Amino acid sequence: MTVEKMLKDAVGLSVVGSVQRSVELSIELSVEDSVEDSVWLSVWDSVKDSVWRPVHAQILEYAYEC
């Protein structure tokens, strides 16, 4: 095996490896983001339903009484 062939193989492998890794990372990040978004939105919706709406209703009641 010549030095030139070894260098070509090493460069080829590193390019393939980095492309593969960046594709893996982007897929991983997009999946992570969508999971994070859906979890966050569902948590926010439940907080809004259980906390914000009753408090908001009480604030409105109080405002009408004044």
Side-chain angles (χ1 to χ4, degrees), residues 47-61:
V47 165
K48 202 166 50 175
D49 288 345
S50 62
V51 176
W52 171 245
R53 291 213 170 97
V55 169
H56 191 248
Q58 285 181 336
I59 291 171
L60 286 178
E61 258 180 48

Side-chain angles (χ1 to χ4, degrees), residues 15-50:
V15 167
V16 167
S18 66
V19 166
Q20 190 177 0
R21 187 67 190 130
S22 64
V23 167
E24 278 174 12
L25 275 176
S26 65
I27 289 172
E28 208 174 286
L29 285 176
S30 65
V31 166
E32 202 174 289
D33 281 352
S34 62
V35 166
E36 216 172 77
D37 286 350
S38 64
V39 168
W40 167 246
L41 286 175
S42 65
V43 166
W44 170 243
D45 281 349
S46 62
V47 165
K48 202 166 50 175
D49 288 345
S50 62

